[in-house]
Every structure is written in C-alpha cells, then in structure tokens.
Amino acid sequence: MATNEVDTFSAQDAPEFAPAQFVRWFRDVAPYVHDFRGKTFVVAFGGELVYDGVLNTIIQDLSLLSALGVKLVLVHGSRPQVNEQLKLKGYDTQFGRGTEPTSPEALECAKEAAGEIRLDIEAAFSQGLPNTPMSHAHIRVISGNFVTARPVGIIDGIDYKHTGAVRKLDINALNAVMNQGAIVLLSPLGFSPTGEAFNLAMEDLATSAAVALRAEKLIFMTQDRTVRDEDGSVDTELAREDADALLATGTLDEDTASFLSHASRAVKRGVARAHLIPYTLDGSVLLEIFTHDGVGTMVVEDTLDDLRPATVDDVGAIVQLIEPLEADGTLVPRGRAVIERDVEQFTVLEHDGVIYGCVALNPYLSEGMAEMACLIVHPEWQGSGEGEILLRHTESRARAMGARRLFVLTTRTSHWFMKRGFVQGGVADLPKERQAHYNRSRNSLVFIKRL
C-alpha cells in the first residue's frame, strides 16, 4: 500500500514552513506571558489611528493582551477630530502638537470628538463574531471621572483658558476597575473640583497615568515615529540618557521628539519600559511585546553605557575576573596569552574605571552558529541583572553577525541558561571545528538557543 511521506521536524528545529513552527513560536512567547500576567500596560494612541482605519485591528490585539492577564489602561487622543469639528463649524483655530489655548468653542468640539471616539472604542471591544479574534471575548471597558485636572493658566501673558494639565488620578478606582478584569479607557479630558472640564494632551495624560500606576510599560502607538539609525533601521533600544542626548540635538521631527520626550520622562519617573511602535504595521503591539527585538523603539533606564568592546588594556582585568573560576574548575584555563590574542572577541562591563563583567563571542558562521564563553560578573555586582545585560548584548551581536543559534558549554550553570531559553543539546550539535576541540575530560554540557 502506498503512503505519503511527510517530513517530521522537532519544534526547536522546524523550518519556517512547517506546522511545528507554530509550536515553537508558542513556546517562545510563554516566558513573556508568564512575566506580564498581572502587570499594567498603558497604551496610548492619537486620533490619527482612528482616521487611518486600524482601530478594529488594534482592539483585537489589545483584547488578546487582556485575555492573557495584562491589566490595560487605554488613553486616546482626538486632535484631528477636534480640528475637523472646528473647521466644520467655521472656526479658524487648529490644534498642533504643542500646548495651545482652548477656547470655550474648542472645548465643546473636544468633548464631541472624545465622546465619538470613546463610543467607537467601546463598540470595537464589544465585537464577538464567530471566526474572528474577538469570538467569545467578553471585555468590559470602563471610563469615568478618574482624572482631576488643573488649568494651565496664564503663561508669558497668554491665557490658555480651558487647556489643562493632570493634577492627579484616582489610583484606587483605576486599580479596582482593572482588578475586576475590565479595561480602563481615558479620554483627553479632565475635571476640576469645581466641575470645570479641561482639554488635556493625550501624551501628558498617558505619561501621568503610567507613572501614577507604576506601569510595567507605556506604549505609544504612532504612525511611524520610531527612532532610526543612520542606515535607516529601527533603533530598538535606547538608554534614557541616550534618548535625552538625541532630543538635545534637535534633529528629530516634531512628532517623534514629542513621543520620545514623554517616553524618557516616564522612564525617568519609574516606568520600567516605554515604547514607540508603528500602528501602521499589522500586529505591531504583539510583535513588540512578544519578540526579543520588537519592531519599535524601547526606552529603558538601565543604560548600557558601561558596556563596551574590550581592548588590550583590559586583559589584566579580564584575567582577574576569570582566574577564580579557572581555579575552582568552573572555566577551562586559558592563560593571559590566549585572552590577549582573542581580546577582540570580548565585551566588558565597566563602571567608574572598574571592569566588573565580561563575555566572549566566538563565531562559527559557516554553520550558522556562535559560542558564548566567559560570561562572568564579579560576585559583588551580581543580582542586579548584569548577567542579563551581557546575555542580551551577546545575542544581539551574534544575530548581527548572521548566526542563527547561540551555544554555550557549562559544567555548573546549566539552570541559569535553561531559564533563559537555552535547550540542552549534545556534542554532535556543535560546529565541527568546535567538536574537534571539545574537552571530553571536563564533560561540559551543551546548551543551544535559537536566535
């Protein structure tokens, strides 16, 4: 009897076209799901997103985050809708990116626009058609008078009238809503204790909410206001100090500068991560959250300024880091001459002139692999994520070289690598050149991570 032969692949080694690719992806995102469950994300977008017709798609992705246990606060803007209302009513006023006075007429337009967008968002979350991502979704969206505002007042002789700034948020009420599994929706309006309404900037409101709630993430969904390198590629991670330095150059366009400035301010005031992602890319919010590099620009406080390539002058310090681990058998003895010969493969962590960590990367690119070796953090500096910094940096370097898999040999730290996505392999899985130099007397374990 004739049978159809079907290629079978493990989920770890599946090519892109194989069904097991889905299994591999699902396993890859599991650590993020565990990490973010119960965390608060503030997601903000302007009225441009609604105009561009992508609201329903974004809502579907946000509903998935909610289903995975992420606590969500949505902050929407309405600038283009307000401008449209003003134009239709014959007013010359048009709002730009900066802070501008809000007349009584403009405030009425802001109320109308905010109400319309709020209803659109609530309707989108109420979808439940079969065979769509919203099928069986029962998501409650709650808005209310959570924001107390104050008037901007008179600045340099200009009365800003009904333009306001955030005074405080009702954190207890916001947390109570999210703890019940509902999504909080904040419109760009705030109210004073005297009952007055004020027009708020979406960016300021989102930043204030993220800081007050001690959010894990502040996510700005932009038309495509990511920060790019000289070659045009997205700069996926910026230390806050680097973001501030870039802003000081004045080379960014107005929109990007505004979003990046608010992201930097949020991180400086305690938000763990702030992101600028393009809503023009389908699924961008999921790609940013559940993939290693993401698709936007992330601003972080834990600067990598102390991370740099090693030089010959660093050999002595690297030897001092390595020697204790060579003495107790954790590392294979190398000797100063070997380290000096291979110093260009090393990266070091330095603070105030003291080198307290290092890692080496040895490429085997003919087989699409690279080896991470000598990942060391001085004992006095351990416990604050320095090992994670070195690992993340090494993965990025290996990926940039063209390596598809990163491997390590270890005798005592297997659990550390397993917790970070490495899978145990065997000597036969190593590049042939590395197999030839494998020290069988040490019987080191082999761990491999797909990049």
Side-chain angles (χ1 to χ4, degrees):
M1 181 175 65
T3 59
N4 294 325
E5 294 185 1
V6 179
D7 291 332
T8 302
F9 303 91
S10 72
Q12 186 65 28
D13 297 324
E16 295 294 324
F17 60 82
Q21 167 70 8
F22 171 79
V23 177
R24 184 173 67 205
W25 175 86
F26 215 54
R27 290 172 177 168
D28 287 345
V29 304
Y32 298 102
V33 174
H34 297 316
D35 191 32
F36 294 143
R37 181 181 291 116
K39 300 292 179 61
T40 299
F41 290 6
V42 176
V43 181
F45 53 85
E48 294 83 1
L49 181 148
V50 180
Y51 257 153
D52 290 344
V54 297
L55 179 62
N56 280 348
T57 303
I58 298 299
I59 293 302
Q60 290 172 4
D61 292 345
L62 294 178
S63 71
L64 177 58
L65 291 182
S66 179
L68 292 173
V70 175
K71 297 179 179 180
L72 287 177
V73 176
L74 302 189
V75 184
H76 75 82
S78 58
R79 186 177 294 116
Q81 287 82 2
V82 173
N83 285 338
E84 183 180 50
Q85 289 280 351
L86 287 167
K87 186 176 180 180
L88 288 172
K89 294 182 178 181
Y91 298 112
D92 294 332
T93 303
Q94 292 284 284
F95 288 97
R97 178 61 62 183
T99 303
E100 300 177 27
T102 301
S103 65
E105 297 80 14
L107 179 63
E108 290 305 311
C109 292
K111 292 178 180 178
E112 292 178 24
E116 182 179 341
I117 294 175
R118 178 173 61 82
L119 291 174
D120 287 343
I121 292 173
E122 291 175 353
F125 273 114
S126 300
Q127 299 175 72
L129 291 175
N131 302 321
T132 72
M134 298 297 292
S135 180
H136 304 298
H138 301 285
I139 298 174
R140 289 176 296 155
V141 182
I142 297 178
S143 57
N145 57 341
F146 299 116
V147 182
T148 301
R150 60 173 177 82
V152 168
I154 300 173
I155 301 176
D156 296 330
I158 300 175
D159 185 355
Y160 282 79
K161 301 178 181 178
H162 294 281
T163 296
V166 177
R167 172 172 284 169
K168 68 176 182 179
L169 290 99
D170 191 341
I171 301 304
N172 291 334
L174 292 173
N175 282 322
V177 169
M178 290 187 288
N179 288 337
Q180 293 175 6
I183 293 175
V184 174
L185 176 61
L186 299 180
S187 296
L189 294 168
F191 309 96
S192 73
T194 60
E196 292 180 275
F198 290 97
N199 185 26
L200 306 177
M202 173 272 290
E203 300 86 349
D204 289 336
L205 176 56
T207 302
S208 297
V211 171
L213 290 165
R214 303 186 64 82
E216 178 72 16
K217 291 182 181 293
L218 168 61
I219 300 173
F220 286 117
M221 306 198 69
T222 73
Q223 284 181 303
D224 192 7
R225 298 298 186 248
T226 53
V227 177
R228 296 185 178 270
D229 295 325
E230 293 181 358
D231 62 359
S233 60
V234 175
D235 194 337
T236 57
E237 183 172 314
L238 271 178
R240 183 183 59 79
E241 291 183 358
D242 291 338
D244 291 342
L246 181 59
L247 287 165
T249 66
T251 57
L252 297 174
D253 64 86
E254 185 181 16
D255 284 353
T256 303
S258 176
F259 285 122
L260 187 62
S261 175
H262 284 88
S264 174
R265 182 156 64 93
V267 170
K268 184 177 182 179
R269 295 175 61 188
V271 177
R273 301 286 188 268
H275 304 253
L276 278 59
I277 65 174
Y279 66 71
T280 51
L281 174 64
D282 186 29
S284 59
V285 68
L286 300 180
L287 290 167
E288 179 71 7
I289 293 171
F290 294 119
T291 63
H292 186 274
D293 287 330
V295 294
T297 297
M298 179 176 68
V299 180
V300 297
E301 181 63 49
D302 51 342
T303 174
L304 302 187
D305 285 347
D306 295 341
L307 195 65
R308 62 171 178 81
T311 68
V312 173
D313 294 336
D314 302 321
V315 170
I318 294 173
V319 169
Q320 288 183 342
L321 283 173
I322 290 177
E323 279 182 340
L325 298 177
E326 291 178 340
D328 69 10
T330 300
L331 294 179
V332 62
R334 285 170 173 79
R336 185 185 183 99
V338 173
I339 295 173
E340 188 168 338
R341 181 195 68 195
D342 299 334
V343 70
E344 292 183 354
Q345 297 173 348
F346 279 84
T347 298
V348 295
L349 275 170
E350 180 184 33
H351 183 71
D352 288 342
V354 176
I355 291 176
Y356 63 96
C358 67
V359 67
L361 181 65
N362 307 314
Y364 297 90
L365 299 182
S366 62
E367 299 184 55
M369 301 183 75
E371 177 183 13
M372 181 171 61
C374 292
L375 195 160
I376 304 169
V377 176
H378 191 280
E380 293 182 3
W381 295 78
Q382 292 176 5
S384 299
E386 286 79 6
E388 297 278 2
I389 292 174
L390 289 169
L391 172 60
R392 189 169 66 232
H393 171 76
T394 305
E395 290 176 353
S396 296
R397 280 187 64 199
R399 194 179 292 109
M401 288 179 176
R404 299 185 301 276
R405 290 185 293 172
L406 183 69
F407 71 89
V408 295
L409 301 181
T410 182
T411 57
R412 302 189 181 185
T413 55
S414 57
H415 285 182
W416 192 89
F417 290 109
M418 290 172 67
K419 287 176 65 177
R420 286 152 182 84
F422 285 80
V423 177
Q424 186 168 357
V427 177
D429 297 314
L430 297 174
K432 290 182 172 54
E433 180 183 350
R434 190 65 180 86
Q435 291 182 39
H437 295 92
Y438 178 80
N439 187 340
R440 296 187 180 276
S441 64
R442 285 178 56 81
N443 197 29
S444 299
L445 299 177
V446 176
F447 287 89
I448 302 172
K449 183 175 184 177
R450 184 178 293 274
L451 299 175

